[in-house]
Amino acid sequence: MNLRGLCGYNKTSVFVFLCSQVQMDVFCSNRSLRCAPANLSHGIQTLDLSRNMLQNLTLETLAFHTSLHNLNLHSNKIQFIQPDLFKDMTNLKVLDLSRNYLDVFALTKTYIGPLPAVESLDLSSNGLYTGMTDYFLSHSPLLENLSLSGNSITKIAKNTFNGSLGLRGINLHNNVILEIEDGAFDSLHNLTELDLSKNSITCITDFNLSKLKVLNLSKNSMETFQTADSDIEYDLLYLDLSENRIPYFPLLPRRNKIVYLDVSRNQLYSVNVTGPAEELAILGHSSSNLRTRHQLLSNLVYLDLSYNQLKSIPLSFICSMLSLEVLNVSNNCISSFYVEDLLPQVRVLDLSYNSLQNFSLGENTLQLLEELFLQGNALTTLDPQSFQRLPSIRYLQLQQNNLKICNENHLHPPDCVSFSSIPTLQYLYLSENSLKVVPANAFYNTPLKLLDLSLNPGLEMDPNSLSGLENSLVHLFLRENNISKLMTDLSLLNHLKFVDLSTNQLTTLPLWNKESSIESLNLQNNNLVTLEYNTVAALERSLKTLYMGSNPLSCCSNLRFLHMVQRSAVVVPDIETVTCVYLQDSEPVNIERVTHEMCRTLDSRTVKYIFFVTRTGKK
Ligand SMILES: *[C@@H]1O[C@H](CO)[C@@H](O)[C@H](O)[C@H]1NC(C)=O
Ligand SMILES: *[C@@H]1O[C@H](CO)[C@@H](O)[C@H](O)[C@H]1NC(C)=O
Ligand SMILES: *[C@@H]1O[C@H](CO)[C@@H](O)[C@H](O)[C@H]1NC(C)=O
Ligand SMILES: *[C@@H]1O[C@H](CO)[C@@H](O)[C@H](O)[C@H]1NC(C)=O
Ligand SMILES: *[C@@H]1O[C@H](CO)[C@@H](O)[C@H](O)[C@H]1NC(C)=O
């Protein structure tokens, strides 16, 4: 008997074989079903028929399941729904019809009839276009959440939601909406969440949905967002305007509670609300009104202005933002940043990838700042004590600038920045600063866990440059510094676990005088010929990962090391590129292929080590 064949109802036990049941919930997902199982017990509450091949939903197969609460028909081939199928399903709250062919059904201009109890309806990805939703929504009085995402709707008409006046959330993500008729959402008194992201909306000039809490307009072609001029208090909390083409700061409700505002990836060149004069005249805004507008964002917690063309952040703009915790203005054109006695709650400030030449902080400012991103700017000189003024700073990104590091308590070299005595700082990134020296005690009394000094070619590190970090430093990055001999004794750093020394000119490993705790060591692309025996021994106990490729290793003078690798005591992720030379002028061989004959002919004394090196069966 072909249970998966046509939907003739000869009451075979399709269900027994193909579905599973847990109490009153039945799961038949992904069973190649062409029709709903016929012999389901009465009283079931959940029926999951997703990912099958159902085409027609008929009264005969489904209508008697009036006990259903939750019916999942996601990803079938449904193109026909018998009218009034759901009329008597007075318990059905959740109906998922996403990813079907309901456009085919809508073309027949048939109404599915009432959805008397449905609260959540998913019609996403059905090829529906403008007007087609009427056949599904005409009578759904309790509907709260509706998803129409991934369809081809171009216009929201005034009557689109007339049959579902209880809607709280509408998801219209990923359609091609160009037009929203005036008043289309006005009769939805409970509407709090509206997702219009990824459409083709060009402007909103009279935003008046004062009950809305979440509005997503990301990824449209918006050039203007303007609220109707009114003294009504708006409930809006989240406003996402990212990835549009907005040149002026959005005109937000005068009385607002906005906590989250994303205007990133637009064309803002100023945070002023001033648009072309004639537009404003039409809207009846006086210019003094506008000036006060942007001063009233006192509930704002998160503000993202990244990827715009802002040249400055005026103090008048941020001075009302007493609740702001995250300010992101990365990837703009800001050349100077100064704040004093402002932004009392800011924890994260991102000014990366601007053209900052000046960054200065007045007294009593940014007292809660924990993370500061200043990478990718043109900072050369800073007040040497800039970062000592930030009593909560924990994370500092300064890579890709032109800074110099001061000696502890001395302003030397001239124009330097001090990193000593910052008791909260744990993460410091100073790569690509053309640093020439790291002076002695540079980080004294600053309990760094991570220090990145990479990509400062020619860097000279004082033997005492890392003093003070003995009991804190875990990560040390010294990649691409053209270092030929490391003068600092890394074995004094008791907590050091991750060390990157790749792409330097090291000819010997730094000495380890005692047991190390290093777990990961990157020595790729250096000039290492021989790894000193005591160092390998000191590393061996803790080391888990070792990068070693692109070094002119000698095979026969590194038997201890080769032994370590070949018995898999340590993982060498780049082992394919780790080669050694066993005779002068011979071709390098992969270290896994070193055999005892190779070295025996050179030096019979090494034979006893080679015994360990060669794994059985490996020649
Ligand atoms: C679905 O209904 C159409 C006509 O409405 C019919 O041609 C088709 O065979 C039916 N499909 C199944 C699987 O019953
Ligand atoms: C509607 O969606 C919101 C979140 O988007 C959710 O919290 C709520 O439970 C949903 N309501 C129903 C009836 O599914
Ligand atoms: C708005 O929609 C975009 C695209 O779908 C999504 O990535 C973003 O998280 C949404 N924003 C909010 C605030 O939910
Ligand atoms: C600021 O925005 C940029 C671009 O969207 C993002 O990459 C970066 O992670 C954000 N910064 C923070 C601190 O979240
Ligand atoms: C790198 O070091 C070598 C000497 O070890 C020197 O000749 C070369 O100029 C250095 N390169 C840079 C970019 O500092």
Side-chain angles (χ1 to χ4, degrees):
M1 169 140 316
N2 179 11
L3 300 178
R4 296 170 193 194
L6 283 173
C7 296
Y9 283 93
N10 43 11
K11 311 293 179 204
T12 45
S13 303
V14 173
F15 163 68
V16 174
F17 296 113
L18 294 174
C19 303
S20 64
Q21 181 162 3
V22 179
Q23 291 175 338
M24 282 309 178
D25 300 336
V26 176
F27 302 94
C28 315
S29 182
N30 208 357
R31 304 293 207 282
S32 307
L33 295 175
R34 288 181 188 279
C35 50
N39 53 346
L40 295 174
S41 46
H42 277 275
I44 57 165
Q45 297 189 344
T46 299
L47 178 54
D48 182 355
L49 286 166
S50 61
R51 300 174 205 281
N52 283 294
M53 302 195 293
L54 271 66
Q55 265 184 14
N56 298 344
L57 299 182
T58 57
L59 291 168
E60 185 189 10
T61 58
L62 277 173
F64 67 96
H65 292 301
T66 54
S67 58
L68 275 177
H69 285 215
N70 187 329
L71 178 57
N72 187 349
L73 293 159
H74 165 81
S75 255
N76 277 276
K77 299 179 185 315
I78 298 167
Q79 41 178 282
F80 175 75
I81 299 176
Q82 198 157 352
D84 291 340
L85 175 64
F86 304 105
K87 183 171 61 98
D88 297 321
M89 295 194 190
T90 51
N91 295 300
L92 186 63
K93 292 195 155 90
V94 181
L95 177 57
D96 187 344
L97 286 164
S98 56
R99 280 198 188 279
N100 279 287
Y101 303 124
L102 294 180
D103 54 334
V104 176
F105 174 72
L107 282 173
T108 65
K109 301 199 188 314
T110 315
Y111 288 80
I112 63 167
L115 299 172
V118 173
E119 293 175 0
S120 174
L121 175 61
D122 194 339
L123 293 170
S124 57
S125 303
N126 268 290
L128 301 174
Y129 45 89
T130 311
M132 287 185 159
T133 55
D134 297 356
Y135 304 110
F136 305 93
L137 300 177
S138 62
H139 190 65
S140 39
L142 299 188
L143 193 58
E144 288 183 10
N145 285 350
L146 171 64
S147 178
L148 286 165
S149 71
N151 283 294
S152 307
I153 297 165
T154 52
K155 173 176 161 182
I156 306 295
K158 204 168 161 36
N159 59 2
T160 301
F161 303 110
N162 276 358
S164 46
L165 294 176
L167 277 171
R168 292 175 185 273
I170 304 176
N171 184 351
L172 286 158
H173 168 77
N174 195 16
N175 277 275
V176 271
I177 298 169
L178 288 158
E179 187 188 350
I180 298 175
E181 273 185 7
D182 240 0
F185 300 107
D186 284 2
S187 51
L188 304 177
H189 298 295
N190 297 325
L191 189 65
T192 53
E193 289 193 27
L194 183 54
D195 188 345
L196 288 165
S197 59
K198 207 162 183 231
N199 277 286
S200 309
I201 301 167
T202 53
C203 63
I204 294 205
T205 48
D206 210 7
F207 175 63
N208 65 351
L209 301 174
S210 62
K211 297 291 172 211
L212 216 53
K213 291 190 173 149
V214 182
L215 175 57
N216 195 339
L217 284 161
S218 173
K219 300 189 181 165
N220 276 276
S221 314
M222 300 257 298
E223 288 170 14
T224 321
F225 179 90
Q226 290 178 335
T227 307
D229 190 29
S230 131
D231 277 322
I232 292 172
E233 176 157 42
Y234 280 62
D235 292 337
L236 194 62
L237 298 174
Y238 292 81
L239 177 57
D240 191 340
L241 295 168
S242 59
E243 296 192 54
N244 279 287
R245 300 186 198 145
I246 303 176
Y248 304 107
F249 198 75
L251 192 50
L252 302 170
R254 189 171 305 149
R255 295 176 60 207
N256 70 70
K257 306 173 184 168
I258 299 174
V259 297
Y260 175 105
L261 178 58
D262 189 346
V263 202
S264 64
R265 295 178 199 267
N266 273 281
Q267 292 167 9
L268 293 182
Y269 61 85
S270 143
V271 290
N272 292 337
V273 194
T274 31
E278 64 283 19
E279 261 180 50
L280 293 169
I282 292 164
L283 288 165
H285 295 295
S286 77
S287 59
S288 65
N289 255 348
L290 290 178
R291 236 176 282 126
T292 53
R293 283 289 169 112
H294 69 56
Q295 295 174 7
L296 290 167
L297 284 164
S298 51
N299 292 302
L300 198 60
V301 169
Y302 177 98
L303 176 58
D304 193 344
L305 294 168
S306 60
Y307 286 97
N308 278 287
Q309 281 136 45
L310 296 173
K311 292 208 167 63
S312 67
I313 300 287
L315 296 184
S316 60
F317 173 68
I318 48 177
C319 71
S320 76
M321 300 182 186
L322 298 175
S323 311
L324 197 64
E325 292 181 18
V326 179
L327 176 56
N328 193 340
V329 264
S330 71
N331 293 279
N332 278 278
C333 319
I334 297 169
S335 57
S336 178
F337 185 87
Y338 172 77
V339 278
E340 180 166 351
D341 209 2
L342 282 178
L343 302 173
Q345 298 293 327
V346 166
R347 292 181 300 98
V348 179
L349 174 57
D350 192 339
L351 286 160
S352 60
Y353 303 102
N354 277 282
S355 40
L356 282 182
Q357 289 175 318
N358 300 306
F359 173 83
S360 55
L361 303 172
E363 290 302 314
N364 197 21
T365 197
L366 294 168
Q367 297 290 290
L368 297 183
L369 189 68
E370 290 173 19
E371 300 181 17
L372 177 56
F373 298 80
L374 289 169
Q375 72 270 27
N377 279 290
L379 294 170
T380 308
T381 52
L382 283 178
D383 178 336
Q385 298 287 310
S386 293
F387 304 117
Q388 281 79 357
R389 270 199 212 120
L390 296 169
S392 311
I393 191 73
R394 195 171 53 80
Y395 189 95
L396 188 49
Q397 294 227 9
L398 288 168
Q399 67 270 30
Q400 293 175 268
N401 281 290
N402 273 301
L403 297 170
K404 297 186 197 100
I405 307 176
C406 301
N407 204 332
E408 181 206 19
N409 304 328
H410 300 94
L411 297 187
H412 186 81
D415 296 335
C416 63
V417 188
S418 162
F419 294 101
S420 63
S421 301
I422 314 177
T424 50
L425 189 62
Q426 296 182 354
Y427 299 86
L428 178 58
Y429 295 82
L430 281 165
S431 59
E432 286 185 84
N433 267 277
S434 312
L435 289 174
K436 290 285 165 261
V437 279
V438 185
N441 301 317
F443 312 102
Y444 207 78
N445 277 331
T446 298
L448 293 180
K449 284 188 174 157
L450 182 148
L451 177 59
D452 187 355
L453 293 166
S454 303
L455 288 145
N456 289 295
L459 184 69
E460 273 177 39
M461 293 182 69
D462 185 280
N464 293 318
S465 57
L466 303 179
S467 333
L469 300 180
E470 290 80 4
N471 292 315
S472 66
L473 200 65
V474 178
H475 302 260
L476 177 61
F477 303 136
L478 291 167
R479 188 166 56 91
E480 293 186 53
N481 280 333
N482 204 27
I483 298 173
S484 48
K485 188 162 172 27
L486 197 63
M487 307 302 280
T488 31
D489 184 355
L490 298 185
S491 68
L492 298 174
L493 300 166
N494 300 312
H495 294 269
L496 197 59
K497 285 195 162 69
F498 304 92
V499 181
D500 188 349
L501 289 165
S502 62
T503 315
N504 280 293
Q505 310 278 347
L506 293 177
T507 48
T508 55
L509 276 186
L511 280 186
W512 264 274
N513 300 317
K514 52 178 191 155
E515 231 173 279
S516 104
S517 53
I518 294 181
E519 289 178 11
S520 170
L521 178 59
N522 192 337
L523 294 169
Q524 257 178 0
N525 201 16
N526 275 285
N527 281 329
L528 296 167
V529 176
T530 306
L531 306 178
E532 209 266 334
Y533 175 84
N534 287 331
T535 301
V536 175
L539 284 170
E540 194 170 355
R541 288 182 201 91
S542 61
L543 202 60
K544 294 182 179 144
T545 310
L546 175 66
Y547 293 83
M548 200 58 232
S550 307
N551 277 286
L553 288 177
S554 139
C555 298
C556 299
S557 52
N558 286 304
L559 292 170
R560 168 96 196 190
F561 165 68
L562 296 184
H563 181 202
M564 199 167 120
V565 172
Q566 290 190 340
R567 71 187 159 85
S568 304
V570 55
V571 178
V572 183
D574 62 348
I575 193 137
E576 297 300 321
T577 61
V578 187
T579 54
C580 60
V581 180
Y582 71 96
L583 277 177
Q584 238 179 354
D585 305 326
S586 70
E587 283 295 303
V589 293
N590 189 278
I591 55 163
E592 288 193 300
R593 273 192 243 114
V594 176
T595 62
H596 68 100
E597 286 86 357
M598 291 175 177
C599 295
R600 188 168 49 192
T601 55
L602 292 177
D603 182 352
S604 55
R605 282 169 305 169
T606 59
V607 166
K608 70 174 180 197
Y609 295 108
I610 289 162
F611 174 75
F612 293 108
V613 168
T614 311
R615 266 188 265 170
T616 28
K618 209 155 202 184
K619 275 249 157 177

